[in-house]
Amino acid sequence: MSFLDHINACNAWTRTDFLPWGLAGDILGWVRPAFAEQVVAASAPIDAPKTGGFTLDWLGPELRILSWHAANLDWDAREHAFARLCQQLQTQDSLPAPQGERYPVTPGRRDQARCSIDRAHAPFFGTRAFGQHLNGYVRGHDGLELWVARRAPDRRHYPNRLDNMVAGGLPHGADLRENLRKECFEEAGLSAEIADRALPVGAISYCRATRAGLKPDLMYCYDLELPAELTPVCTDGEVAAFERWPIEQVMQTVRESDEFKLNCNLVIIDFLIRHGQITPDDPDYFELVQRLRSPIP
Amino acid sequence: MSFLDHINACNAWTRTDFLPWGLAGDILGWVRPAFAEQVVAASAPIDAPKTGGFTLDWLGPELRILSWHAANLDWDAREHAFARLCQQLQTQDSLPAPQGERYPVTPGRRDQARCSIDRAHAPFFGTRAFGQHLNGYVRGHDGLELWVARRAPDRRHYPNRLDNMVAGGLPHGADLRENLRKECFEEAGLSAEIADRALPVGAISYCRATRAGLKPDLMYCYDLELPAELTPVCTDGEVAAFERWPIEQVMQTVRESDEFKLNCNLVIIDFLIRHGQITPDDPDYFELVQRLRSPIP
C-alpha cells in the first residue's frame, strides 16, 4: 500500500468499456454499450430531433457514439425529454430509484450544463460529478491535528469507514459558499460564521468505473483551521463520531490502509503535500502532485 | 491577458518539431531534427555500442528516434562519452559555452539519472530541468503580502523583470534542503535557520520550446512565512531590489501583465490558489489547477 495506490484505485477504468454520449459535438458522459442500447430503445428515436431521442452512431470503425438529438430543444424541453427517458429506464429497471438531488450534465464546467440528472443516475450516464471536501484541522502544540469522521454503520456507501470532516456533492446550480455552509452544518454542526472561514485551496479529479457505470469526479478542496476548543457534532446521521488525530497518524493510516473512504485518501494526500508533510524527498512526489488532478475524459 | 495565458505561454511547443532521444528504451529528452543530425555526425557512430555513439533510427513511417548506444557503458564511461560529444558540438558551434553547472539526464526522477549535462546544453537535448521556487510572504494586518524580486538589469535572461523571492536550478545530485539554503542565502541573504522554515507545498511542471530547443521543467514550490521586520538582501547580484506587495497587487500584476519572469507567474498562481486568493468561482479554476502540472513528455 502506498499513496499512489489510492490514486490508482480512484482512477481505475478502461476506455474501451465505455462509449461517449454527446450533444451537438460535445461529450456529456460515458456509458456502457449495453446501457447505450437500452437508452436508444427507451428514447423512442422516431423523429428524434423533435422529441430529444437518442441514436447509436458510428464515428469510425470500432468507434461508436450515443448521440442525443436535443440541440434544437431549449432547456425546459431538454429537461423534459431527459427526465422522461430516465423514468422509462427506471420503469424497466435499467436505472435505480432517484435520490432527489439534481446534478449538472455538462461537457466542462458546472455553469455549462446542458440539462440536469438525478444524482443516483449520474454514474450510469458517466456524467461529471462535482463536490466539496473540507479538512478541519487544529494547530496544536505538537503540530497539526486533523479532524477525522467515522461514517455511521448504517450508511449505504462505506459504512464505518473514515471520512473527511465535511464532504458532499454539489447539486446543479448550487452556490459554492452556501452549499459548503449547508454541508458544514449538516455533517459537523458548524455555524455559518465558522464555515465561512474555510479556505478554498485547490481541487482534485479522478475517474473510476463502478458497477453502475463511470464516475468522473471533480472535487473542490477546502482547509478549515479550527480553534482547539471546538468539537464537531454530526446533525444528519452520516457521521457516527469525530476524532482529532495527530497528522502523523493520519498520514500513516492513509499510506498503509484502506480505512478511509476511497476519494478521501486523495483529499488528504493533497492536504499532506500542501502542508509540507509529504516532502519532495518522496520519490513519488511529482507523480502524486500531477495525478491528484487526473484528466477527466 | 489571463492566468491561463501564462500557463499557455509556458507550454508552447509542437511535438512534431522534435525527435525523442533515448537509451535502451527510455526517452531522455527531445531534440530538433537538425541538431539530431549534428549529434550523429559528431558522435563517431562507428562501433557505437563500445564508444557510446548515436544513430538516427526509424521507429515507423515518419517516426524517428535518436538512439544513444551506451547501455553497456557504466556511469563513468557514459559521462565520458557524453562530455566528449558535447565538447565536439561546442567546437563546431552547435552548442554554446558551458555554464559549469551539472544537471541530471533522466527519463523520470532526479535519482534516475543516466548521466549529467551542462545546464547551458540541457535545452538543446531537451532534458528535464528541476528547480526550486520559493514565495516569501508576510501575514500583515491587512492580509497577505508577498516579497517580490526585481531582477538586475544586467541579467542575461529577463533583465528588470519581476521574480519570486528565491528561485534556482537543482544541480545533479544536489540535496533539496541544502540547495534551498544556498539559494536562499545567495538570492535573499537568508540564514540557514530561516531557510529551513520553508515549507514544501507542491510542484509545477511545464514544457516550452525555445530557440535553443525544448525545456521540460519540473519545479518544487516552497512557502516561507517571514517576520514583518525581515527584509531580504541579495548577495549575488541577481536581484536589484526586493519589494513587499499586498497580495491583491501581485494577483493583478500576474493576471494583467508580463512583468513577472515567465515561469514565476505559474508559481504565483499556485500560491494564489493554495491561499484561497483565486477561488473556485473563477471559471478557469479546474483548468488552472490541472494545467499547472502539465504532463512532461
Side-chain angles (χ1 to χ4, degrees):
Chain A
M1 198 95 232
S2 75
F3 294 131
L4 273 181
D5 288 336
H6 293 299
I7 296 182
N8 290 335
C10 282
N11 285 283
W13 75 291
T14 306
R15 192 171 284 253
T16 48
D17 290 347
F18 295 90
L19 305 179
W21 73 276
L23 169 66
D26 290 320
I27 291 177
L28 299 177
W30 297 78
V31 290
R32 293 197 194 276
F35 184 73
E37 282 167 22
Q38 292 166 358
V39 168
V40 171
S43 80
I46 299 152
D47 203 7
K50 274 193 196 152
T51 58
F54 283 78
T55 55
L56 255 173
D57 305 315
W58 290 92
L59 282 183
E62 313 271 311
L63 187 61
R64 285 191 302 173
I65 185 168
L66 177 65
S67 308
W68 188 20
H69 301 282
N72 297 326
L73 307 185
D74 63 14
W75 174 274
D76 288 342
R78 275 200 307 271
E79 280 286 84
H80 182 72
F82 197 71
R84 201 181 48 203
L85 168 72
C86 290
Q87 208 146 27
Q88 176 60 31
L89 289 166
Q90 272 171 248
T91 308
Q92 64 190 58
D93 231 19
S94 302
L95 282 180
Q99 276 180 251
E101 197 172 323
R102 306 302 296 179
Y103 270 20
V105 176
T106 171
R109 306 189 312 248
R110 294 178 66 224
D111 62 0
Q112 296 170 319
R114 303 296 196 256
C115 71
S116 72
I117 188 171
D118 189 88
R119 181 173 184 167
H121 300 160
F124 292 85
F125 284 92
T127 54
R128 296 172 171 221
F130 297 81
Q132 293 172 302
H133 279 248
L134 180 146
N135 275 309
Y137 70 100
V138 174
R139 288 191 194 276
H141 291 299
D142 299 323
L144 292 177
E145 298 176 325
L146 203 68
W147 278 107
V148 164
R150 174 76 65 181
R151 293 170 66 80
D154 62 354
R155 292 293 95 183
R156 192 164 74 164
H157 299 296
Y158 302 96
N160 297 311
R161 298 279 278 282
L162 296 172
D163 205 337
N164 296 130
M165 192 169 102
V166 175
L170 255 174
H172 170 60
D175 178 77
L176 290 172
R177 190 48 79 183
E178 276 169 30
N179 194 68
L180 191 65
R181 278 186 192 167
K182 177 179 150 285
E183 296 286 347
C184 280
F185 177 72
E186 289 176 2
E187 301 200 353
L190 301 180
S191 67
E193 191 219 322
I194 299 270
D196 283 352
R197 291 186 214 159
L199 207 64
V201 290
I204 62 165
S205 55
Y206 50 89
C207 183
R208 193 167 64 89
T210 67
R211 219 166 28 170
L214 197 64
K215 285 171 65 63
D217 280 357
L218 297 101
M219 298 289 153
Y220 298 101
C221 301
Y222 298 81
D223 281 2
L224 177 55
E225 186 175 348
L226 291 167
E229 64 276 12
L230 186 145
T231 299
V233 184
C234 180
T235 68
D236 72 350
E238 186 160 338
V239 170
F242 283 102
E243 293 169 33
R244 207 165 95 191
W245 287 13
I247 197 70
E248 295 78 13
Q249 185 184 351
V250 177
M251 184 144 87
Q252 193 182 349
T253 305
V254 169
R255 188 172 42 212
E256 295 171 12
S257 81
D258 280 324
E259 277 239 55
F260 277 95
K261 179 170 168 278
L262 210 56
N263 60 356
C264 296
N265 289 295
L266 275 52
V267 179
I268 293 175
I269 292 168
D270 177 62
F271 182 92
L272 294 170
I273 289 172
R274 287 185 294 96
H275 288 269
Q277 300 290 326
I278 299 176
T279 70
D281 295 311
D282 188 313
D284 296 330
Y285 196 72
F286 257 111
E287 197 175 346
L288 289 171
V289 171
Q290 278 187 323
R291 295 193 54 216
L292 284 175
R293 296 92 189 173
S294 295
I296 291 291
Chain B
M1 200 95 230
S2 75
F3 294 131
L4 274 181
D5 289 336
H6 293 299
I7 296 182
N8 290 334
C10 282
N11 285 284
W13 75 291
T14 307
R15 194 172 281 251
T16 48
D17 290 347
F18 295 89
L19 304 179
W21 73 276
L23 169 67
D26 289 321
I27 291 178
L28 299 177
W30 296 78
V31 290
R32 294 196 194 275
F35 184 72
E37 282 168 21
Q38 292 166 359
V39 167
V40 170
S43 80
I46 299 151
D47 202 7
K50 275 193 195 153
T51 57
F54 284 78
T55 55
L56 254 173
D57 305 315
W58 290 92
L59 283 182
E62 313 271 311
L63 187 61
R64 286 191 301 173
I65 186 168
L66 177 66
S67 307
W68 188 20
H69 301 283
N72 296 326
L73 307 186
D74 63 14
W75 173 275
D76 288 341
R78 275 200 307 272
E79 280 284 85
H80 183 73
F82 197 70
R84 201 182 47 202
L85 167 72
C86 290
Q87 208 146 26
Q88 176 61 30
L89 290 165
Q90 271 172 250
T91 308
Q92 64 191 60
D93 230 17
S94 301
L95 282 179
Q99 276 180 249
E101 197 173 325
R102 304 303 295 179
Y103 270 21
V105 175
T106 171
R109 306 189 312 249
R110 294 179 65 224
D111 62 0
Q112 296 169 319
R114 302 297 195 256
C115 70
S116 72
I117 187 171
D118 189 87
R119 180 174 186 167
H121 301 159
F124 291 85
F125 283 92
T127 54
R128 296 172 171 221
F130 297 81
Q132 292 172 304
H133 279 249
L134 180 144
N135 275 308
Y137 70 100
V138 174
R139 288 191 193 276
H141 292 297
D142 300 321
L144 293 177
E145 297 176 326
L146 203 68
W147 278 107
V148 164
R150 175 75 66 180
R151 294 171 65 82
D154 62 353
R155 292 293 95 181
R156 193 164 73 165
H157 298 296
Y158 301 96
N160 297 311
R161 299 279 277 283
L162 296 171
D163 205 337
N164 296 130
M165 192 169 101
V166 175
L170 255 173
H172 170 60
D175 177 76
L176 289 172
R177 189 50 76 183
E178 277 169 29
N179 195 67
L180 191 65
R181 278 186 192 167
K182 175 179 152 286
E183 295 286 345
C184 280
F185 177 72
E186 289 177 1
E187 300 201 352
L190 301 180
S191 68
E193 190 220 322
I194 298 270
D196 283 352
R197 291 186 212 161
L199 206 66
V201 289
I204 61 166
S205 55
Y206 49 88
C207 183
R208 193 167 64 88
T210 67
R211 220 167 26 170
L214 197 65
K215 285 172 64 65
D217 279 358
L218 297 100
M219 299 288 152
Y220 298 101
C221 301
Y222 297 81
D223 280 2
L224 177 55
E225 185 174 348
L226 291 168
E229 63 276 13
L230 186 145
T231 299
V233 184
C234 179
T235 67
D236 73 349
E238 186 160 339
V239 170
F242 284 103
E243 294 170 33
R244 207 165 96 191
W245 287 14
I247 197 69
E248 295 78 14
Q249 184 185 351
V250 176
M251 184 146 87
Q252 192 182 351
T253 305
V254 168
R255 189 171 43 213
E256 296 172 12
S257 82
D258 280 326
E259 277 238 55
F260 277 94
K261 180 169 167 279
L262 211 55
N263 61 355
C264 296
N265 289 295
L266 275 52
V267 179
I268 294 175
I269 292 168
D270 176 63
F271 182 93
L272 295 170
I273 289 172
R274 286 184 295 97
H275 288 268
Q277 300 290 325
I278 298 176
T279 71
D281 296 310
D282 187 313
D284 296 330
Y285 196 72
F286 257 111
E287 196 175 347
L288 289 171
V289 171
Q290 279 187 322
R291 295 194 53 218
L292 283 176
R293 295 91 189 176
S294 295
I296 290 291

